[in-house]
Amino acid sequence: MIKSLAYLGVRSPSYQEWERFGPEVLGLQVAGHGPDGAVRLRLDEVAQRIVIHPGERNAVAYIGWSVQDEAAAMTVARRVNAHGLEAVRAGAEECAERKVEGFVWFKDPSGFRHELSWGLHHTVAAFHPGRAISGFRTADQGLGHVVLAVQDLDEGDRFYREVMGFYPSDTVRDGPLVAHFYHLNGRHHSLAISALPTREVAFLHLMIEVNAIDDVGTAHDICQQREIPITTTLGKHSNDRMFSFYMYTPSCFRLEYGWGGLDVDPDLWTPRTYDKPSSWGHRRQHAELTALKLDEA
Ligand SMILES: [Fe+2]
């Protein structure tokens, strides 16, 4: 029913830093500004994929998903309602701001705002990366993946599978770490969830995938030159085989910059369990840096 991760919205006091951070570090293109001054960023033909709004504190504002059409959104919305949560049809102004034909939104049991959108606006003018990179792997696989720390892992697992319709890819069980991964298309996962020992809800990271291994290397060089905190060192994930590292963005969320993610065939895939999240590398550092919280507005 849900096809892919479409877009991500964040609020941040340092939203203006994305004018340079987006193009110069990540290779994104600034695609104008929202009515509130938001920095709109593109990474392919879609009009906007990452939107950083002004805000008093850093918080994830919305997670946008693509559905086929309004009927598909309403089917999921009915399941959300049946689960005792309210799904709301967005007005014309909000749809124009998101650059979609329409969307329905709701808050999941942990409080994350999801938007089920149809008719994602595409820009005819070619994507112009902010620095010399090969481009991003998106198309049918969408923007990338998001990883959320939910309040209750079992409740979250049921909600994302049974209500939102995600397909399980695998689970990582490494001592106290348990994480569930879900796919929607050929990307190994578009969503993963975990629970923190504190049961605190947080936005753990956004992953975007480049087309060439060298693009990961140059991003790594730039982070080191600019002293951008690398929160997870270079490494390769066990389950999606992604070669990546994680950096700390100006808006206090971690961004995984990856290459070489595994393609899955949703019709043939059988869920697995792994005993480690990475086959090598991916050492965590800068644990003192906070995770991105939810928007309480
Ligand atoms: Fe990831």
Side-chain angles (χ1 to χ4, degrees), residues 145 147 181 189 205 207 237 240 246 256:
H145 69 234
V147 180
F181 298 76
H189 60 280
H205 72 260
M207 190 287 303
H237 280 301
D240 71 352
Y246 296 56
E256 180 181 8

Side-chain angles (χ1 to χ4, degrees), residues 74-131:
M74 295 319 290
T75 302
V76 180
R78 276 192 292 274
R79 293 203 297 254
V80 169
N81 287 331
H83 198 77
L85 296 166
E86 195 190 357
V88 181
R89 170 85 193 250
E93 204 177 309
E94 259 188 318
C95 294
E97 209 183 299
R98 296 290 191 276
K99 295 189 183 281
V100 298
E101 286 301 286
F103 73 92
V104 169
W105 68 270
F106 59 89
K107 288 191 173 179
D108 74 18
S110 291
F112 290 102
R113 173 173 162 138
H114 298 273
E115 299 183 353
L116 308 177
S117 66
W118 59 93
L120 208 56
H121 292 187
H122 283 49
T123 303
V124 175
F127 165 60
H128 187 77
R131 62 181 177 84

